[in-house]
Amino acid sequence: MSAQIIDGKAVSQIMKEQLRQQVAALPSPPGLATVLVGDDPASQSYIRSKHKLCADVGMRSLHHQMSAGASQAEVEAVIVQLAADPGVHGILIQLPLPAHLDEECILSRVPLEKDVDGFHPVNVGRLAMKGRQPAFVPCTPAGCMRLLQHYKIPVSGARAVVVGRSNIVGLPMALLLNHADATVTLVHSRTKDMHEHLNRADIVVAAIGKANFIVGSQLKPGCCVIDVGINRTPNGLVGDVDFASAREVAAWITPVPGGVGPMTLVMLMENTLRAAQKSLLGRELQPGISG
Ligand code: GUN
């Protein structure tokens, strides 16, 4: 078997076109503010991609670059200022923050209605609980769910294994799959017999940050592989899944690059558009996302 490639780049192009039209229909452009503390090259590159895409779909964006030694009070003061700016509809604090900063306090300073990353503790609580409505769904897991929907991959009743339990991807991904009625197992670096979980999984979401960590022989034939990993190696960018062996076993697989990455960016634009619609029109034109 050779898996169907889940083309995140193509899906994100369709979404970009829809976003452009909805942005153009607003009385003024949505505005996204990003904050980066320190000069980590990978974070800088992610931020550049976000600003490029904002321009591409007609949104405004502004960036606050702060020194790696910025104090808690300085970072919080920037967020308070952005929170009060009516031209800023979405605020994104690039993670990880330097170790001396209190991440939870900083993320709590972002008003819920501008929390386009969905990382405010109250939003995460709502995301976790049954029958609650988070203001925004974190972008990478939202992008993964959108790909599953787009390719009509059965989720309800499926056995889903999420590899990695980060706050940014693994944990919210497990919550979204649970809400979509998958039977979810969250595995991580301390899991015993990871192989036993993987080879029963109908859906594998790999978000562990280790190059080619999962190989085809560990997978259930006919499964769906969503690879969130972006690992820089001497051979270029690779995912957490060994693509060559996995594609011979799976029925669907995301490539790296060109799978989840472009979806993360476009979901951020969608969240920012929704924040702007609420602020400028008092209602959302876009339906609720990614459940
Ligand atoms: N760092 C890596 N991924 C992300 C993300 O989706 N949002 C933020 N804020 N930081 C990140």
Side-chain angles (χ1 to χ4, degrees):
M1 186 191 303
S2 193
Q4 179 178 4
I5 305 299
I6 298 177
D7 189 345
K9 197 164 175 206
V11 177
S12 74
Q13 293 291 352
I14 298 167
M15 289 179 62
K16 262 193 246 176
E17 196 42 53
Q18 293 166 350
L19 284 165
R20 273 187 208 108
Q21 288 171 16
Q22 296 198 44
V23 165
L26 285 171
S28 55
L32 173 70
T34 57
V35 179
L36 175 61
V37 187
D39 52 10
D40 174 61
S43 292
Q44 285 177 329
S45 154
Y46 292 140
I47 292 271
R48 274 196 300 274
S49 309
K50 288 164 188 171
H51 287 269
K52 192 162 165 263
L53 187 53
C54 278
D56 193 5
V57 298
M59 296 192 189
R60 289 176 51 246
S61 66
L62 59 104
H63 179 58
H64 271 270
Q65 178 63 50
M66 306 192 71
S67 77
S71 70
Q72 183 81 18
E74 284 167 338
V75 178
E76 289 189 25
V78 165
I79 300 171
V80 169
Q81 182 198 324
L82 294 171
D85 184 340
V88 170
H89 304 101
I91 302 173
L92 179 139
I93 318 298
Q94 186 67 26
L95 301 175
L97 289 166
H100 68 278
L101 295 173
D102 181 335
E103 180 187 293
E104 187 182 350
C105 281
I106 286 174
L107 296 178
S108 302
R109 286 284 186 180
V110 178
L112 282 167
E113 67 277 11
K114 296 192 179 187
D115 176 31
V116 287
D117 243 346
F119 293 153
H120 189 293
V122 171
N123 193 72
V124 178
R126 289 184 184 153
L127 187 70
M129 293 170 84
K130 203 173 168 176
R132 306 290 156 89
Q133 205 49 51
F136 297 101
V137 177
C139 304
T140 301
C144 296
M145 293 303 290
R146 195 55 74 82
L147 288 175
L148 292 170
Q149 276 168 5
H150 187 90
Y151 282 85
K152 300 189 170 38
I153 294 162
V155 176
S156 177
R159 284 201 186 100
V161 169
V162 179
V163 187
R165 53 179 163 177
S166 69
N167 290 338
I168 295 176
V169 184
L171 184 70
M173 187 72 220
L175 296 173
L176 292 181
L177 287 165
N178 175 53
H179 289 316
D181 299 323
T183 302
V184 184
T185 306
L186 185 55
V187 302
H188 46 77
S189 55
R190 301 283 173 89
T191 298
K192 288 187 184 131
D193 304 322
M194 188 168 313
H195 179 73
E196 308 221 324
H197 296 286
L198 286 174
N199 70 18
R200 285 156 48 91
D202 303 304
I203 298 170
V204 174
V205 180
I208 201 162
K210 290 187 180 160
N212 300 326
F213 181 74
I214 296 168
V215 296
S217 60
Q218 294 174 294
L219 299 169
K220 177 177 168 183
C223 70
C224 168
V225 176
I226 305 286
D227 190 350
V228 180
I230 304 177
N231 305 292
R232 288 172 175 79
T233 74
N235 302 326
L237 282 189
V238 301
D240 291 353
V241 179
D242 175 48
F243 185 79
S245 61
R247 74 179 301 184
E248 297 306 325
V249 180
W252 301 271
I253 188 168
T254 58
V256 178
V260 174
M263 293 301 291
T264 296
L265 289 172
V266 89
M267 295 313 298
L268 175 65
M269 300 300 120
E270 188 174 293
N271 282 354
T272 307
L273 169 69
R274 289 184 49 228
Q277 286 172 333
K278 271 195 193 167
S279 161
L280 298 168
L281 308 176
R283 67 198 154 95
E284 283 171 42
L285 299 180
Q286 188 77 20
I289 60 169
S290 300

